[in-house]
Amino acid sequence: MANLHHFRVPALLVSGLAVVAAAACQGGSDTKTSTETSTTQAATDTTGTGATPVELRTGNAEAGRDVYRNETFGDEGFWTDAVRMPQGMKAAKLTVLDALKAGVSFDVDAMPADLKAAFASELKTDHSPAKAPKLNDPATLDALVKANAVIGMVPKGGKVGVTCALCHAITDKSMYELTGKGTIGKRIDGPTPHGLNVGKLLATAANSRALFPTLQLQQPDGSTIGRAPKGLTAKSTEAEVDAYLSNPKFYPVGSFDDSPDGNGNAVHITPFFRQDLAAPYGSSGQNDKLDDFNNTVYTALFDQTNLLSPGGRQFMHALGAAGGDSIVAGYAKVLAATGVTGYPFVTAHLQGKAGDPPTPTGKRVDEQKLRDLNAYVSSLQAPKGVVRNAAQVATGRALFISQNCTSCHNTNQGVAVQSKLVPMNIIWPGYAPKVLAQRQAPLTPIQNAPGTFDDKMVVVDASPGGGMRGNALPLLLDLARKPVFLHDDSVHSLDELLNPKRGKTAPHPFYAVTPAERTALVAYLNSLDTDSK
């Protein structure tokens, strides 16, 4: 331990590597240690305490692939009739080059033959309108959307919906890569498209005001929580909303605000492969069950108008109290002012009790499709780790073990992560929140600390299911491609994450003192894949 300096707690060394949120909002969870049996039993880790297997209710993986890529459950109504994304894209005369600059991925196998041939030629030029007319023609992008070649944007009955793949798929870059941004090639489902500028895409919509619950809002007392100095209101103009969404300082590239809590807490998009290893789900561990997590996405995020249904209103009130009621009231005004009618749009069954993990808004989409999706995202394999210097990897692994990182993390990445949550004051020793509002037990109070690390968890945590306020442990996979770390994108490299200059009270205070040690640990972490032992 002579050369490592780290913050210690009894029997626990916390490492918050790659803690991110998947794409969902509030939901309850029982975050106590699970004793249920997984479809695949976790083996004992070679160095740590192993993993706690959890139940994963699976269906047919092949059918799940279609759900992942193409199933909207009717959310095309929200994205076309409320947010008006395709109309905004046309009005802005968005081109394929524009979309690539925003980090969008294109499926080469779904492209019409004539466009594929044109791209093969035009991509070799300087991309000017004279030499690349198709790449610069807005009609080309419209044609690719209709051909289902824009990954994650799915045509449905003359409208355009959104699927999991928009934020959780990349390509093999076999036709083209705009460095650090969009690509054209064969689909690869699961990995995070780190260059996807979700905020910019949302700002392109003709009615981005319809995303009101997931914007950074001004509280009744004039305060606001998020990266922007000023919050939005129900009276904010489309231009003001677009300015917020398109500013990467407020809405970072590669992140998505998946919480209808009125806080600006866009978090880095998590990968969606090997979800059988990833429980609990969400950076706050709010869901033990993957299908419950995904149902929340479809019924409360991909169609935010459902928050105005009776169950949605109950859900918002239970989690946000008067603040939740205020968001609902403001949202109703926004939809009325922008002429949105006929909602909610997503097709789901009235089922269960609003606020319960399986049915947070009192609704649930098709159960078989949820289970098929479970099977598919569990079958998706993580990318291979990157090994550039085997000796450094071996040194880094030895440091990882000797410094007790395995009290939380496995060296064997082919087994499930431990399903415990790390309390906020442990993962972030400087956590000093101020209580903003009390909530009915078992929910914790709504509370906020200075800085952005806890913004995702001001309202959303695992307490609806009796759990604590804290962070779930991440999969340590596909780290070599990852440009930023911690769920709020506050750390810009693995080397920075491990550097003691960040201080003992910073989030994830685990450090390697010397540059050589940091280099070795970074090499080891970048090498990890499900074959690592």
Coordinates of all heavy atoms in Angstrom, one line a residue, residues 264-301:
G264 N -32.2 19.4 -14.0 CA -31.3 19.2 -15.2 C -30.3 18.2 -14.8 O -29.2 18.5 -14.3
N265 N -30.5 16.9 -15.0 CA -29.6 15.9 -14.5 C -29.3 14.9 -15.6 O -29.4 13.6 -15.4 CB -30.1 15.2 -13.3 CG -31.5 14.6 -13.4 OD1 -31.9 14.3 -14.5 ND2 -32.2 14.6 -12.3
A266 N -29.0 15.4 -16.8 CA -28.6 14.4 -17.9 C -27.4 13.6 -17.4 O -26.4 14.2 -17.0 CB -28.2 15.2 -19.1
V267 N -27.5 12.3 -17.5 CA -26.4 11.4 -17.1 C -25.9 10.6 -18.3 O -26.6 10.4 -19.3 CB -26.9 10.4 -16.0 CG1 -27.3 11.2 -14.8 CG2 -28.1 9.6 -16.5
H268 N -24.7 10.2 -18.2 CA -24.1 9.5 -19.3 C -24.8 8.2 -19.7 O -25.2 7.4 -18.8 CB -22.6 9.2 -19.1 CG -21.8 9.1 -20.4 ND1 -21.4 10.2 -21.1 CD2 -21.5 8.0 -21.1 CE1 -20.8 9.8 -22.2 NE2 -20.8 8.5 -22.2
I269 N -25.0 7.9 -20.9 CA -25.8 6.8 -21.4 C -25.0 5.5 -21.1 O -23.8 5.4 -21.4 CB -26.0 6.9 -22.9 CG1 -26.9 8.1 -23.2 CG2 -26.7 5.6 -23.4 CD1 -26.9 8.4 -24.7
T270 N -25.7 4.6 -20.4 CA -25.0 3.3 -20.1 C -25.1 2.3 -21.2 O -26.0 2.4 -22.0 CB -25.7 2.7 -18.8 OG1 -25.0 1.6 -18.4 CG2 -27.1 2.3 -19.1
P271 N -24.2 1.4 -21.3 CA -24.3 0.3 -22.3 C -25.5 -0.6 -21.9 O -25.9 -0.6 -20.8 CB -23.0 -0.4 -22.2 CG -22.4 -0.1 -20.9 CD -22.9 1.3 -20.6
F272 N -26.0 -1.4 -22.9 CA -27.1 -2.2 -22.6 C -26.9 -3.6 -23.0 O -27.8 -4.4 -23.4 CB -28.3 -1.6 -23.4 CG -29.6 -1.7 -22.6 CD1 -29.6 -1.5 -21.2 CD2 -30.8 -1.8 -23.2 CE1 -30.8 -1.6 -20.5 CE2 -32.0 -1.9 -22.5 CZ -32.0 -1.7 -21.1
F273 N -25.6 -4.1 -23.0 CA -25.3 -5.5 -23.2 C -25.2 -6.2 -21.8 O -25.1 -5.6 -20.8 CB -24.0 -5.6 -24.0 CG -22.9 -4.8 -23.5 CD1 -22.3 -4.9 -22.3 CD2 -22.4 -3.7 -24.3 CE1 -21.2 -4.1 -21.8 CE2 -21.3 -2.9 -23.9 CZ -20.8 -3.1 -22.6
R274 N -25.2 -7.5 -21.9 CA -25.1 -8.4 -20.7 C -25.8 -7.9 -19.5 O -25.3 -7.8 -18.4 CB -23.6 -8.6 -20.4 CG -22.9 -9.5 -21.4 CD -23.5 -10.8 -21.7 NE -23.8 -11.6 -20.6 CZ -22.9 -12.5 -20.1 NH1 -21.7 -12.7 -20.7 NH2 -23.2 -13.3 -19.1
Q275 N -27.1 -7.6 -19.7 CA -27.9 -7.0 -18.6 C -28.2 -8.1 -17.5 O -28.6 -7.8 -16.4 CB -29.1 -6.4 -19.1 CG -28.9 -5.1 -19.9 CD -28.2 -4.0 -19.0 OE1 -28.8 -3.5 -18.1 NE2 -26.9 -3.8 -19.3
D276 N -27.9 -9.4 -17.8 CA -28.0 -10.4 -16.8 C -27.0 -10.2 -15.7 O -27.1 -10.8 -14.6 CB -27.9 -11.8 -17.4 CG -26.6 -12.0 -18.2 OD1 -26.2 -11.0 -18.9 OD2 -26.0 -13.0 -18.1
L277 N -25.9 -9.4 -16.0 CA -24.9 -9.2 -15.0 C -25.0 -7.9 -14.3 O -24.1 -7.5 -13.4 CB -23.5 -9.2 -15.7 CG -23.2 -10.4 -16.6 CD1 -21.8 -10.2 -17.2 CD2 -23.2 -11.7 -15.8
A278 N -26.0 -7.1 -14.6 CA -26.0 -5.6 -14.2 C -26.9 -5.2 -13.1 O -26.9 -4.0 -12.8 CB -26.3 -4.8 -15.5
A279 N -27.7 -6.1 -12.5 CA -28.7 -5.6 -11.5 C -28.0 -5.0 -10.2 O -26.9 -5.5 -9.9 CB -29.6 -6.8 -11.1
P280 N -28.7 -4.1 -9.5 CA -29.9 -3.4 -9.9 C -29.8 -2.4 -11.0 O -28.6 -2.1 -11.4 CB -30.4 -2.8 -8.6 CG -29.1 -2.4 -7.9 CD -28.1 -3.6 -8.3
Y281 N -30.9 -1.9 -11.5 CA -30.8 -1.1 -12.7 C -31.1 0.4 -12.5 O -31.9 0.8 -11.6 CB -31.9 -1.6 -13.7 CG -31.6 -3.1 -14.0 CD1 -32.2 -4.1 -13.3 CD2 -30.6 -3.4 -14.9 CE1 -31.9 -5.4 -13.6 CE2 -30.3 -4.8 -15.2 CZ -30.9 -5.8 -14.5 OH -30.6 -7.1 -14.7
G282 N -30.4 1.2 -13.2 CA -30.3 2.7 -13.0 C -29.2 3.0 -12.0 O -28.8 2.2 -11.2
S283 N -28.6 4.2 -12.2 CA -27.4 4.6 -11.4 C -27.8 4.6 -9.9 O -26.9 4.4 -9.1 CB -26.9 5.9 -11.9 OG -27.9 6.9 -11.8
S284 N -29.1 4.9 -9.6 CA -29.5 4.9 -8.2 C -30.0 3.5 -7.7 O -30.4 3.4 -6.6 CB -30.6 5.9 -8.0 OG -31.7 5.6 -8.8
G285 N -30.0 2.5 -8.6 CA -30.4 1.2 -8.3 C -31.9 1.1 -8.0 O -32.4 0.3 -7.2
Q286 N -32.7 1.9 -8.7 CA -34.1 2.0 -8.4 C -34.9 0.8 -8.7 O -36.1 0.7 -8.3 CB -34.7 3.3 -9.0 CG -34.7 3.3 -10.5 CD -33.6 4.1 -11.1 OE1 -32.5 4.1 -10.6 NE2 -33.9 4.8 -12.2
N287 N -34.4 0.0 -9.6 CA -35.2 -1.2 -10.0 C -34.4 -2.5 -9.9 O -33.3 -2.6 -10.4 CB -35.7 -1.1 -11.4 CG -36.9 -0.2 -11.6 OD1 -36.7 1.0 -12.0 ND2 -38.0 -0.6 -11.2
D288 N -34.9 -3.5 -9.2 CA -34.3 -4.8 -9.1 C -34.6 -5.6 -10.4 O -33.8 -6.5 -10.8 CB -34.8 -5.6 -7.9 CG -34.2 -5.1 -6.6 OD1 -33.1 -4.5 -6.7 OD2 -34.8 -5.4 -5.6
K289 N -35.7 -5.4 -11.0 CA -36.1 -6.1 -12.2 C -35.9 -5.3 -13.5 O -36.4 -4.2 -13.6 CB -37.6 -6.6 -12.1 CG -37.9 -7.4 -10.8 CD -37.2 -8.7 -10.8 CE -37.6 -9.6 -9.7 NZ -37.2 -9.1 -8.4
L290 N -35.3 -5.9 -14.4 CA -35.0 -5.3 -15.7 C -36.3 -4.9 -16.4 O -36.4 -3.9 -17.0 CB -34.1 -6.2 -16.6 CG -33.7 -5.6 -17.9 CD1 -33.0 -4.3 -17.8 CD2 -32.8 -6.6 -18.6
D291 N -37.3 -5.9 -16.4 CA -38.5 -5.6 -17.2 C -39.3 -4.4 -16.5 O -39.9 -3.7 -17.2 CB -39.4 -6.8 -17.3 CG -39.4 -7.7 -16.0 OD1 -38.4 -8.4 -15.8 OD2 -40.4 -7.6 -15.3
D292 N -39.2 -4.3 -15.2 CA -39.8 -3.2 -14.5 C -39.2 -1.8 -15.0 O -39.8 -0.8 -15.2 CB -39.7 -3.3 -13.0 CG -40.6 -4.4 -12.5 OD1 -41.4 -5.0 -13.2 OD2 -40.4 -4.8 -11.3
F293 N -37.8 -1.9 -15.0 CA -37.1 -0.7 -15.5 C -37.5 -0.3 -16.9 O -37.8 0.9 -17.1 CB -35.6 -1.1 -15.4 CG -34.6 0.0 -15.8 CD1 -34.1 0.9 -14.8 CD2 -34.2 0.1 -17.1 CE1 -33.2 1.8 -15.1 CE2 -33.2 1.1 -17.4 CZ -32.8 2.0 -16.4
N294 N -37.5 -1.3 -17.8 CA -37.9 -1.0 -19.2 C -39.3 -0.5 -19.3 O -39.6 0.4 -20.1 CB -37.6 -2.2 -20.1 CG -36.1 -2.4 -20.2 OD1 -35.3 -1.5 -20.3 ND2 -35.7 -3.7 -20.4
N295 N -40.2 -1.1 -18.5 CA -41.6 -0.6 -18.6 C -41.7 0.8 -18.2 O -42.5 1.6 -18.8 CB -42.5 -1.5 -17.7 CG -43.9 -1.1 -17.7 OD1 -44.6 -1.2 -18.8 ND2 -44.4 -0.5 -16.6
T296 N -40.9 1.2 -17.2 CA -40.9 2.6 -16.8 C -40.5 3.5 -17.9 O -41.0 4.6 -18.2 CB -40.0 2.9 -15.6 OG1 -40.5 2.0 -14.5 CG2 -40.1 4.3 -15.1
V297 N -39.5 3.1 -18.7 CA -39.0 3.8 -19.9 C -40.1 4.1 -20.8 O -40.4 5.2 -21.3 CB -37.8 3.1 -20.5 CG1 -37.4 3.8 -21.8 CG2 -36.6 3.0 -19.6
Y298 N -40.8 3.0 -21.2 CA -41.9 3.1 -22.2 C -43.1 3.9 -21.7 O -43.7 4.6 -22.5 CB -42.3 1.7 -22.6 CG -41.3 0.9 -23.4 CD1 -40.8 -0.3 -22.9 CD2 -40.7 1.4 -24.6 CE1 -39.8 -1.0 -23.6 CE2 -39.8 0.7 -25.3 CZ -39.3 -0.5 -24.8 OH -38.4 -1.2 -25.5
T299 N -43.4 3.8 -20.4 CA -44.7 4.4 -20.0 C -44.5 5.7 -19.3 O -45.5 6.4 -19.1 CB -45.4 3.4 -19.0 OG1 -44.6 3.2 -17.9 CG2 -45.8 2.1 -19.7
A300 N -43.3 6.2 -19.0 CA -43.1 7.5 -18.4 C -42.1 8.3 -19.0 O -42.0 9.5 -18.7 CB -42.8 7.3 -16.9
L301 N -41.3 7.8 -20.0 CA -40.2 8.6 -20.6 C -40.4 8.7 -22.1 O -40.3 9.8 -22.6 CB -38.9 8.0 -20.3 CG -37.7 8.7 -20.8 CD1 -37.5 10.1 -20.2 CD2 -36.4 7.9 -20.6

